[in-house]
């Protein structure tokens, strides 16, 4: 008899304390029947991962990546053991495993490792014995048995990759909001829950800063066409289905709005306007391992031009120091930094076939006296870099203007 296989993932706030772990354990056993198998992926309790990182940074400004993975992966080991203990207390059989124990093999890029293969044997054996299997999210192991982590938010990826490897029938992501909303419901109270969203839209929203799903997990879901149900662990309400296509696709131009405050801007003033200068700047920046996002070069009237670009805030100090060195070398002017920026983006597959969306976005920002510092676009999104102090106001105005309150 073939059993239905359900993969469920519970995020940090869903298992923040013992009461929450008990509540989730009850929910899991309520789903368990004689006819199904359940694999549960858990994140670390509450803010454990942040706390572990903060401890390391107190000891060492630049801690070695291998040791960070040893440290950061421990959070999930605690939560999977506690979950199995809680389920056993309810009279059901359960067993917890680390990523290494269930054969989640990754490459060696510590802190952002890529999954290469997942060995399903041990999980399948435990399921065949009727056990509920609890797996520590966010982690894997190299061929040398070094523990790796899959990047922040990586338990989502563990769940989706397991759903693929085990050929699951259902993949559910349980979190602290009731699904995917038109924008962050904690910032805009008028945000509306979406019934469905496409992989492409979710990938774009996640990449542009909607924390709710890890972008890499959506890449995997898209590649293997694994539908995902994102829902709340605090209620029974239906959530949002992330799927390949949906029939509303053509009528909706903007599906969601994101706001990302994790970048900073560097401006190199008075750069000599000559071939090869941009190449020099960005080669040096990439050599220190910093990824640059938006770049703007102003038109030059004086054979000098300003070049601005954004980098992750965590890399600002080293990127700024390098930019200053290059500025001297290429005989540019002063170098400025700005931490107080936000990237506001509107996202929707319908943008492919609708016109005038960019104009409407810029007009709305202008009416709200929000100055646009940089602009970038993709096929299904438009982003503006603006002053961070105005970002909440800007998101609210755009949310209203694009009629997202009434989806
Ligand atoms: P978990 O601990 O379950 O992994 P996360 O904190 O990673 O949860 O993600 C959930 C959070 O994502 C929500 O609390 C919400 O504030 C935020 N979020 C941002 N944008 C959105 C959105 N468009 N829809 C839903 N949640 C969003
Ligand atoms: N605990 C890890 C993090 O906070 C993984 C996850 O929650 O998905 O990034
Ligand atoms: Mg998360």
């Amino acid at each position: 008899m073939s059993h239905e296989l359900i993969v469920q993932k519970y995020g940090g706030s869903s298992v923040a304390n013992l009461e929450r772990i008990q509540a989730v354990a009850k929910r899991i056993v309520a789903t368990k029947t004689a006819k199904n198998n359940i694999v549960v992926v858990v994140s670390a309790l509450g803010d454990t991962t942040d706390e572990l990182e903060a401890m390391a940074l107190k000891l060492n400004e630049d801690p070695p990546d291998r040791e960070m993975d040893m440290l950061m992966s421990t959070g999930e080991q605690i939560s999977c053991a506690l979950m199995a203990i809680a389920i056993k207390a309810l009279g059901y059989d359960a067993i917890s495993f680390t990523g290494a124990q269930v054969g989640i093999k990754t490459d060696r890029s510590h802190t952002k490792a890529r999954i290469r293969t997942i060995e399903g044997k041990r999980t399948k054996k435990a399921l065949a014995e009727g056990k509920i299997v609890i797996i520590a999210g966010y982690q894997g192991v190299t061929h040398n048995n070094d523990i790796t982590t899959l990047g922040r938010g990586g338990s989502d990826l563990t769940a989706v990759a397991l759903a693929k490897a085990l050929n699951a029938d259902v993949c559910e992501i349980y979190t602290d909001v009731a699904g995917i909303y038109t924008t962050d419901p904690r910032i805009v109270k008028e945000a509306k829950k979406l019934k469905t969203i496409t992989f492409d839209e979710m990938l774009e929203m996640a990449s542009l800063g909607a924390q709710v799903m890890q972008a890499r997990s959506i890449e995997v879901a898209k590649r293997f066409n694994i539908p995902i149900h994102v829902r709340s662990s605090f209620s029974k309400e239906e959530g949002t289905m992330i799927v390949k296509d949906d029939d509303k696709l053509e009528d909706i131009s903007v599906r969601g709005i994101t706001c990302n405050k994790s970048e900073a801007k560097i401006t190199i003033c008075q750069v000599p306007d000559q071939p090869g200068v941009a190449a020099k700047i960005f080669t040096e920046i990439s050599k220190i391992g910093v990824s640059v996002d938006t770049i703007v070069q102003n038109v030059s009237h004086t054979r000098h031009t300003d070049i601005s670009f954004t980098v992750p805030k965590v890399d600002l100090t080293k990127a700024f120091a390098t930019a200053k060195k290059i500025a001297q070398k290429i005989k540019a002017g002063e170098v400025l930094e700005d931490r107080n920026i936000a990237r506001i983006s509107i996202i929707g597959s319908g943008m492919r076939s609708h016109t005038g969306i960019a104009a409407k976005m810029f007009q709305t920002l202008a009416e709200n006296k929000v100055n646009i510092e940089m602009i970038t676009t993709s096929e299904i999104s438009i982003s503006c870099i603006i002053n961070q102090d105005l970002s909440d106001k800007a998101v609210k105005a755009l949310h209203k203007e694009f009629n997202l309150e009434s989806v």
Side-chain angles (χ1 to χ4, degrees), residues 13 17 65 80 82 112 141 181 214 264 297 328 336 351:
S13 45
N17 52 45
D65 287 345
C80 74
L82 288 174
K112 46 180 180 305
V141 68
Y181 284 70
Q214 191 210 30
Q297 174 173 349
Q328 257 181 356
L336 310 169
M351 274 187 205

Side-chain angles (χ1 to χ4, degrees), residues 44-157:
L45 273 61
D47 297 327
T48 305
T49 315
D50 289 335
E51 287 158 17
L52 291 169
E53 184 178 42
M55 284 204 286
L57 290 174
K58 275 194 186 145
L59 297 172
N60 186 338
E61 271 178 14
D62 187 18
D65 287 345
R66 180 189 180 280
E67 305 312 324
M68 285 312 279
D69 280 355
M70 281 294 275
L71 178 69
M72 306 268 273
S73 61
T74 61
E76 273 71 11
Q77 190 168 340
I78 295 172
S79 54
C80 74
L82 288 174
M83 187 59 74
I85 290 167
I87 291 175
K88 285 248 181 192
L90 297 172
Y92 284 73
D93 203 3
I95 182 165
S96 66
F97 293 118
T98 64
Q101 285 175 314
V102 288
I104 301 181
K105 298 279 191 214
T106 72
D107 64 13
R108 288 183 308 185
S109 34
H110 283 288
T111 75
K112 46 180 180 305
R114 298 202 155 256
I115 299 177
R116 284 193 168 147
T117 53
I118 297 184
E119 161 62 70
K121 250 198 217 149
R122 190 148 189 199
T123 309
K124 285 181 188 154
K125 183 167 176 282
L127 290 173
E129 290 165 0
K131 294 184 165 74
I132 297 171
V133 174
I134 319 291
I135 297 176
Y138 175 55
Q139 56 181 267
V141 68
T142 67
H143 283 277
N144 288 333
N145 284 326
D146 279 325
I147 293 175
T148 49
T149 62
L150 308 176
R152 295 304 304 269
S155 299
D156 296 333
L157 177 58

Side-chain angles (χ1 to χ4, degrees), residues 11 27 40 86 88 131 152 161 176 201 209 223 235 242 245 248 323 352 386 391 399:
R27 181 165 196 143
V40 176
K88 285 248 181 192
K131 294 184 165 74
R152 295 304 304 269
D176 58 354
E201 289 168 330
R223 188 169 328 132
S235 79
I242 310 177
D245 289 310
K248 274 205 189 153
R352 291 193 180 109
I386 63 168
S391 62
H399 193 264

Side-chain angles (χ1 to χ4, degrees), residues 9 153 156 211-212:
K9 175 254 170 179
D156 296 333
Q211 191 196 351
V212 58

Side-chain angles (χ1 to χ4, degrees), residues 1-72:
M1 185 177 62
S2 105
H3 283 66
E4 182 187 38
L5 178 64
I6 303 171
V7 172
Q8 300 186 331
K9 175 254 170 179
Y10 291 90
S13 45
S14 300
V15 293
N17 52 45
L18 297 184
E19 288 71 43
R20 286 297 310 154
I21 291 176
Q22 263 169 340
V24 168
K26 282 189 189 141
R27 181 165 196 143
I28 294 167
V29 303
T31 312
K32 177 75 185 136
T33 64
K35 289 210 180 79
N36 66 19
N37 283 322
I38 303 182
V39 171
V40 176
V41 174
V42 284
S43 292
L45 273 61
D47 297 327
T48 305
T49 315
D50 289 335
E51 287 158 17
L52 291 169
E53 184 178 42
M55 284 204 286
L57 290 174
K58 275 194 186 145
L59 297 172
N60 186 338
E61 271 178 14
D62 187 18
D65 287 345
R66 180 189 180 280
E67 305 312 324
M68 285 312 279
D69 280 355
M70 281 294 275
L71 178 69
M72 306 268 273

Side-chain angles (χ1 to χ4, degrees), residues 147-288:
I147 293 175
T148 49
T149 62
L150 308 176
R152 295 304 304 269
S155 299
D156 296 333
L157 177 58
T158 306
V160 175
L162 278 167
K164 159 68 186 151
L166 301 170
N167 201 11
D169 300 285
V170 179
C171 180
E172 294 177 318
I173 303 286
Y174 285 89
T175 183
D176 58 354
V177 287
I180 309 296
Y181 284 70
T182 48
T183 190
D184 191 336
R186 298 197 189 281
I187 297 179
V188 180
K189 65 173 187 326
E190 292 82 10
K192 284 278 169 354
K193 188 176 74 181
L194 298 165
K195 261 201 158 69
T196 57
I197 185 168
T198 66
F199 290 131
D200 285 334
E201 289 168 330
M202 190 66 239
L203 183 55
E204 198 81 359
M205 279 182 73
S207 313
L208 291 168
Q211 191 196 351
V212 58
M213 287 297 295
Q214 191 210 30
R216 284 176 53 197
S217 70
I218 303 299
E219 272 167 9
V220 174
K222 182 183 168 189
R223 188 169 328 132
F224 299 106
N225 194 15
I226 301 166
I228 300 174
H229 186 182
V230 180
R231 57 194 307 190
S232 169
S233 71
F234 295 77
S235 79
K236 290 263 174 330
E237 194 182 332
E238 288 276 307
T240 303
M241 286 306 299
I242 310 177
V243 292
K244 197 165 159 210
D245 289 310
D246 74 19
D247 42 12
K248 274 205 189 153
L249 206 84
E250 289 296 315
D251 346 315
I252 297 176
S253 53
V254 176
R255 179 93 65 171
I257 302 180
T258 58
C259 173
N260 186 350
K261 298 177 181 167
S262 71
E263 290 170 89
K265 186 175 77 170
I266 293 179
T267 303
I268 308 183
C269 303
Q270 295 264 308
V271 176
D273 197 5
Q274 294 157 3
V277 167
K280 251 184 221 145
I281 297 174
F282 294 107
T283 306
E284 291 303 314
I285 300 283
S286 79
K287 269 193 202 152
I288 57 166

